């Protein structure tokens, strides 16, 4: 377990909120600090749980969940993500995890976006999980009152008022379950690594998705667009995850049996750490603006060739949500210059699920890193600027797609749509793996398409067959109907850009800074 956590009252004793275990490696075992700031594992899994709470889903007007908050959940085992879940029309996130994983939850760590209700908690404890972490805001059974601002929406915030009997009873039951449980139940939040906030802003403004927007709309001020999107998300996420005023938050903590968090400096540190995570989420989300762009299917180079099953893909909202999951993962990279994240989701052929992700289920996720079990500094880390090719990183880094496939949670089923969401165009090394694994859909940016960089090339992506490619493009409805790149609502293969354009678009998601490297948590 990583350090720097804030512990709940039932734990053996509070650790200092500002105590941070310096962690430089991600999937390796190194104690050597890396070149750039990264998200700690605790903060990454917490961010994924918060973001899963925002998973797009249909509204169910006939359901009355005015007192139930939406919930995000990340299931982790040996630092690998086994499941991403969220509340739905009938199933809570914890119930969805029980149904999908069952006894496989034994020895797992669970990261909740809120404190789970007693119904979920008793089943999770019974499954033998090792650790349960949650953000101590308004819990799953809301304590903010019984008058919803948007009746019927499980994510709506109720107006402040008296605590309902249901919430009070649930608080007593969850506290008793927590006090008598075998798993370690706590609150895990860490301060961001020094310099990470600025690093996130800079790389989000310059990521491939924003770069594509700039290429397609030369007159657009993308920095202004990014700042506007970030401000909008920051207001939304702050209102959603931070509980009103500090006094309202203190009242809820007391009602939850967490009076120890109301004491300073723990309370201020708690809210400050959460605010930092909200700012991270806003910055990463702002880097993928849906303004006039989205993920649109490319027209097949051979129209007579049949498309793979379920070629329609997912909605723009779901595609963007999954890409932002991948972007969050990218900030755990061990590559000092290029952060890449990948998430693989599959869609069941039938059996509509009642949880928040519908028929989707997670197959795997990963980021680019050195081989597991190795030490961070034992492999070369230079890029193509290093003249000596033996000192370059490319033969040692395991790509995000490769990690997602290697550590997948289950086998890929033939006939089911299997969707890869990756933050950069798959390179020639990964294309055969994608085809061989049975991936049916790819959602990505194509800024590196058709480029040959010597040590790494992107020449095979354009000719990849039997896979529906959804690339980040300007919406076809906004493009001229006479454009040769648009046909039947699908985006055709782009023509190769000039050397000047390629030079302009060669920015990386993560860049090595010449200033002193910050500490990493």
């Amino acid at each position: 377990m990583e350090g720097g956590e804030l512990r709940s009252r039932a734990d053996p004793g509070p650790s200092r909120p500002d105590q941070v275990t310096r962690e430089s490696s991600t999937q390796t075992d190194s104690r050597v600090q890396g070149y750039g700031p990264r998200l700690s594992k605790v903060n990454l899994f917490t961010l994924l749980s918060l973001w899963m709470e925002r998973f797009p889903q249909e509204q169910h007007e006939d359901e009355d969940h005015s007192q139930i908050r939406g919930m995000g959940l990340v299931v982790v085992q040996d630092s690998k993500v086994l499941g991403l879940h969220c509340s739905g029309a009938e199933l809570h996130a914890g119930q969805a995890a029980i149904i999908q994983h069952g006894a496989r939850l034994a020895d797992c760590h669970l990261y909740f976006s809120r404190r789970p209700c007693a119904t979920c908690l008793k089943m999770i404890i019974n499954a033998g999980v090792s650790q349960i972490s949650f953000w101590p805001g308004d819990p799953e059974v809301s304590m903010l009152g019984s008058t919803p601002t948007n009746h019927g929406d499980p994510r709506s915030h109720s107006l402040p008022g008296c605590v309902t009997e249901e919430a009070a009873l649930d608080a007593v039951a969850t506290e008793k379950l927590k006090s008598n449980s075998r798993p370690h139940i706590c609150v895990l939040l860490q301060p961001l690594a020094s310099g990470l906030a600025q690093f996130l802003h800079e790389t989000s403004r310059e990521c491939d998705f924003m770069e594509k927007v700039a290429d397609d709309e030369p007159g657009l001020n993308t920095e202004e667009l990014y700042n506007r999107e970030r401000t909008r998300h920051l207001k939304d996420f702050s209102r959603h995850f931070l509980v009103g005023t500090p006094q309202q938050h203190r009242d809820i903590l007391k009602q939850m049996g967490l009076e120890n968090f109301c004491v300073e400096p723990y309370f201020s540190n708690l809210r400050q750490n959460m605010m930092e995570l909200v700012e991270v989420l806003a910055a990463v989300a702002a880097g993928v603006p849906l303004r006039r762009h989205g993920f649109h299917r490319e027209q097949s180079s051979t129209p007579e060739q049949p498309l793979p099953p379920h070629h329609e893909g997912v909605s723009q909202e779901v595609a963007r949500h999954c890409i932002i999951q991948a972007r969050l993962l990218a900030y755990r990279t061990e590559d000092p210059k290029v952060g890449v994240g990948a998430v693989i989701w599959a869609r069941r052929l039938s059996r509509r699920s009642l949880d928040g992700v519908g028929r989707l289920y997670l197959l795997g996720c990963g980021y680019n890193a050195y081989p597991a079990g190795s030490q961070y500094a034992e492999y070369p880390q230079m890029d193509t600027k290093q003249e000596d090719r033996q000192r370059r990183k490319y033969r040692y880094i395991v790509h995000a797609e490769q990690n997602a496939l290697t550590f997948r949670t289950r086998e890929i089923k033939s006939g089911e749509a299997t969707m890869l969401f990756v933050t950069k165009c798959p390179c020639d090394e990964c294309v055969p793996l994608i085809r061989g694994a049975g991936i049916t859909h790819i959602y990505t940016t194509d800024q590196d398409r058709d480029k040959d960089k010597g040590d790494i090339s992107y020449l095979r992506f354009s000719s990849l067959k039997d896979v529906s490619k959804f690339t980040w493009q300007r919406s076809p409805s906004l493009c001229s109907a006479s454009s040769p790149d648009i046909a039947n609502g699908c985006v055709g293969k782009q023509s190769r850009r000039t050397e000047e354009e390629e030079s302009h678009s060669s920015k990386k998601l993560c860049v090595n800074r010449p200033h002193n490297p910050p500490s990493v948590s």
Side-chain angles (χ1 to χ4, degrees), residues 15-281:
S15 61
R16 290 178 53 194
D18 59 344
Q19 180 184 355
V20 178
T21 297
R22 297 298 175 189
E23 176 211 19
S24 62
S25 81
T26 53
Q27 78 173 30
T28 61
D29 299 327
S30 171
R31 297 179 182 176
V32 181
Q33 291 185 354
Y35 285 150
R38 303 184 186 89
L39 284 171
S40 68
K41 290 179 183 178
V42 164
N43 283 343
L44 171 62
F45 299 145
T46 302
L47 279 164
L48 287 172
S49 73
L50 297 176
W51 186 234
M52 280 305 297
E53 186 169 314
R54 308 287 288 181
F55 195 94
Q57 53 186 283
E58 298 178 359
Q59 301 296 329
H60 296 266
E61 297 179 357
D62 57 333
E63 298 291 339
D64 183 6
H65 292 287
S66 57
Q67 199 183 341
I68 302 298
R69 291 278 185 257
M71 173 84 83
L73 167 61
V74 180
V75 179
V76 178
Q77 188 174 56
D78 297 328
S79 299
K80 305 295 187 300
V81 177
L82 297 187
L84 296 174
H85 306 279
C86 65
S87 302
E90 293 188 18
L91 291 175
H92 296 188
Q95 294 172 325
I98 288 288
I99 289 174
Q100 186 170 133
H101 303 285
R104 292 190 299 274
L105 288 174
D107 300 324
C108 288
H109 290 194
L110 273 57
Y111 292 78
F112 284 94
S113 62
R114 301 177 185 273
R115 189 195 66 184
C117 68
T119 300
C120 293
L121 190 59
K122 66 183 180 183
M123 291 189 294
I124 291 165
I125 291 173
N126 188 52
V129 300
S130 295
Q131 179 173 285
I132 299 169
S133 172
F134 62 90
W135 157 241
D138 191 33
E140 188 167 21
V141 178
S142 174
M143 291 188 162
L144 289 181
S146 57
T147 306
T149 59
N150 184 13
H151 188 76
D153 182 357
R155 304 181 189 202
S156 65
H157 281 266
S158 303
L159 296 174
C162 61
V163 178
T164 64
E165 181 182 9
E166 189 70 22
L169 291 172
D170 195 76
V172 172
T174 51
E175 177 65 20
K176 191 168 188 66
L177 284 165
K178 179 168 69 70
S179 300
N180 292 281
S181 67
R182 295 182 301 274
H184 181 60
I185 302 179
C186 58
V187 174
L188 294 177
L189 285 179
Q190 295 178 334
L192 294 183
S194 175
L196 180 56
Q198 180 182 356
F199 187 66
L200 280 157
H201 293 318
E202 293 175 355
T203 52
S204 292
R205 281 197 305 263
E206 301 170 357
C207 71
D208 283 5
F209 301 96
M210 290 296 293
E211 187 179 334
K212 179 62 177 175
V213 173
D215 287 351
D216 291 344
E217 302 182 54
L220 178 67
N221 186 331
T222 53
E223 183 171 355
E224 182 179 312
L225 171 63
Y226 167 79
N227 290 332
R228 185 167 61 247
E229 287 287 296
R230 176 184 168 273
T231 299
R232 180 174 66 85
H233 288 306
L234 188 57
K235 290 180 179 178
D236 180 25
F237 298 156
S238 297
R239 183 170 56 250
H240 191 86
F241 295 116
L242 288 167
V243 183
T245 65
Q247 185 56 50
Q248 288 175 324
H249 195 179
R250 281 191 173 95
D251 291 343
I252 286 178
L253 289 173
K254 292 175 182 177
Q255 293 159 3
M256 291 169 62
L258 298 176
E259 295 90 345
N260 58 320
F261 280 129
C262 298
V263 179
E264 294 293 353
Y266 296 103
F267 181 74
S268 295
N269 287 335
L270 179 74
R271 287 182 66 88
Q272 176 59 32
N273 290 345
M274 188 57 171
M275 191 64 215
E276 288 181 352
L277 293 188
V278 167
E279 290 174 351
V280 168
L281 203 55

Side-chain angles (χ1 to χ4, degrees), residues 340-395:
V340 183
V343 182
I344 305 175
W345 287 87
R347 183 170 52 207
R348 300 180 183 90
L349 292 175
S350 59
R351 194 174 67 81
R352 172 180 172 269
S353 176
L354 297 176
D355 63 356
V357 295
R359 296 187 319 184
L360 296 179
Y361 61 93
L362 183 74
L363 276 179
C365 57
Y367 46 85
N368 51 336
Y370 291 99
S374 59
Q375 292 189 350
Y376 180 80
E378 73 176 282
Y379 290 119
Q381 300 170 36
M382 300 300 295
D383 60 8
T384 52
K385 294 180 181 179
Q386 171 59 252
E387 292 184 4
D388 184 0
R389 292 187 65 189
Q390 292 185 1
R391 297 174 61 187
R392 296 178 184 174
K393 63 188 178 183
Y394 299 101
R395 296 181 185 274

